[in-house]
Amino acid sequence: MWRDESTTWQVAHRPLAALAGLLARVDAVHGLYYLLMHAVFALWDGGLWALRLPSVAGAALAAAGVAAVAHRLAGERAALLAGTAYALLPPVQAYAQEGRSYALVTAAVVWATHLMLRERWAAYAAVLLLGCWLHEFAVLALFAHAPAARRSPGWRWSAAAVVAGLAPLALLSAGQARAQLGWLGRPSWQDWAAYGVLAAVVLLLARGAAERDLADLARVAVPLALLPPGLLMTVSLVHPWYVDRYVLYALVGPALLVGARLARARGWWPWLLAAVLLVPLGWWSAWLRTPESRKDDVLAVAAAVRERARPGDAVLFMPSRRREWLLSSPTAYAGLRDVALDRSPAASNTLHGTELPPERIRTALLDSPRVIALLDPQGQPLDPYPTEAAKREALATTFERCSLTTVRGARVVVYARPGGCD
C-alpha cells in the first residue's frame, strides 16, 4: 500500500458525518469514490483485498467495454484482440491493482462510449456523469465523443445534462483546487514527449483506416486517445492540473486501434511485432507487482516503526503530510505521542490533521527523551514552513541520532537526548 491508497483506506473508514465534513473542505473530487469504499468496508473490512477489489472489477469492466466497442465497429475478432490489448497495457495493470478511482472512471467512460454508439442517450448521460462524479476530468471525454456523435441532437442534450450534473461538484472542487493540486507543476518535457509518442503511435495505427473499413472506429479511437490528455496538458500551462492517471481512459483509444489493425492484418509481420512487444510488456507487468513500482510503502514504514518504537516515544512527521504513513496502521500509531499534532484528521476535517505552532512543537520535543522521526528520502526538498523548520532545528540542536532505517520512499530515524541512545 502506498500513500494514496492509504488515504483511501483511512478516509473511507471515517464515519459518514466525518467524511462529509472532510469533503466540504478538501478532496471533494474523490467524494463519490470514498463513499463507495466506505460501503465496501462496511460490508467487508478485508484490508488490501477489499481496498483493491473495486479497481480490479473496474479494469475488468473497462476491458469488456473496449471489446464491446470494437465488436460494434470492427467485428468479433477485433473485439477479442482490442480487449486483450487493453488489459495488457502496463498503466491499466497498475491502476487495476491500486485502491483509487481511475480504473472505475475508465470503465464508466468506455461503457458511455458504447452507449453513445447505440444512441442510448439517457443511459449515456447517466453512465458518463457517474464517471465524472468519480473523477471530474472524465468530462473531457465529451470532447472526444463529439466527432463520433456527429452533432446528434440526442448527444447535445446528453452532454448538456452531464455538464449540468457535474456543475455542483466542479464548483465545490474549484474552491479546493489550489490546496488540492498545489503540489503539481506544469507539464514537463517528459510529459510532452510521452504525449508526442502516443500521438505518433495513434496516428500511425489510424493511417489508412478508411481502406480497411475502420473509419468509424478511428473516428472514436483517435479523439479518445488524444483529446483528453492534450486538452488537460494545455490547460495545465495556466492551471497545473495534469497527471496522466487523471485521463487513464485515453488508453482505450490505442487499444481499439491495435485490436482492429491486428484483426485486419495480412501476413506474419504484425503478429511478430506484437510478440516482440510482449517481452518488455511482461517485464513491466512483473515490475508493477513489486513495492519498487510505488513511491513509498506505508506498511513497511509502519513495520519499521513497530520494530524500533518504545511505549511513550514521541513521533514526528517531517513534513506533516507524511502522517499518512501511520494513519492506515492505527496499532502502530496508537502507542506513540504525536507531539506536533493539534487536532486529529477526523476532528479537523482534514486529510492529515493540523499541527501546533512552532514554539509549542519545540517545547513538546524538549520534553521528550526519545523521538521517532519519519522523513522523506534523502535529497527531497525541505518544506520551508516555520513548523517544519522548528522540528529540524530542535532535533539538530537537542538530540543525537541513534539509528537510521531506510524503507521504500521513507526514512525512519530514532533520536534521543545526548547519552540516551543505549
Side-chain angles (χ1 to χ4, degrees), residues 276-311:
V276 169
L277 288 174
L278 285 177
V279 175
L281 287 177
W283 176 87
W284 197 350
S285 177
W287 177 76
L288 286 170
R289 287 156 174 80
T290 67
E292 287 70 32
S293 68
R294 300 297 191 265
K295 290 182 179 178
D296 54 15
D297 184 345
V298 299
L299 300 182
V301 174
V305 169
R306 284 192 196 95
E307 184 178 334
R308 286 152 186 80
R310 301 173 186 171

Side-chain angles (χ1 to χ4, degrees), residues 73-75 77-78 81 212-214 259-266:
L73 296 174
R77 184 180 174 86
L81 292 167
R212 292 174 174 83
D213 196 26
L214 295 175
R261 290 300 294 262
L262 284 176
R264 301 288 201 278
R266 296 185 179 90

Side-chain angles (χ1 to χ4, degrees), residues 76-87:
E76 186 174 312
R77 184 180 174 86
L80 175 62
L81 292 167
T84 303
Y86 177 79

Side-chain angles (χ1 to χ4, degrees), residues 85-98:
Y86 177 79
L88 289 174
L89 291 171
V92 171
Q93 296 189 27
Y95 294 107
Q97 55 166 313
E98 181 167 305

Side-chain angles (χ1 to χ4, degrees), residues 181-203:
L181 301 176
W183 59 278
L184 286 175
R186 290 177 175 81
S188 65
W189 70 265
Q190 292 95 331
D191 294 322
W192 288 107
Y195 181 74
V197 170
L198 172 67
V201 169
V202 166
L203 294 175

